[in-house]
Amino acid sequence: MLGEIHDALHEFPGLEGKIDEMRTSDSAFAELMDSYDTLDAKVRKLEELGTPVADETIEDLKKERLLLKDKLYDLLRD
């Protein structure tokens, strides 16, 4: 939905410290976080600017973002 916030701090409330810790100590986690942040910024930019893009394209990007979020959450739970 337009205007929703999906950055990691909003998606994983209360885990800011663990995210910071893992970002510095786990390069695979840091890479996933960077990918998530980049993808989230791309989706938000497309939505906020009203850039003409096929519905399927934006949905595919959102699905990819969700898969990354799930992977990150699995790592944060360990």
Side-chain angles (χ1 to χ4, degrees), residues 40-72:
D40 182 52
K42 183 176 183 176
V43 170
R44 287 185 57 80
K45 184 177 179 182
L46 287 171
E47 288 179 333
E48 290 172 356
L49 295 178
T51 305
V53 61
D55 288 342
E56 295 84 15
T57 301
I58 196 77
E59 290 304 315
D60 287 345
L61 291 172
K62 288 180 178 182
K63 287 176 186 175
E64 185 179 345
R65 180 176 64 187
L66 183 59
L67 289 173
L68 283 172
K69 183 177 110 174
D70 288 345
K71 289 179 186 178
L72 289 167

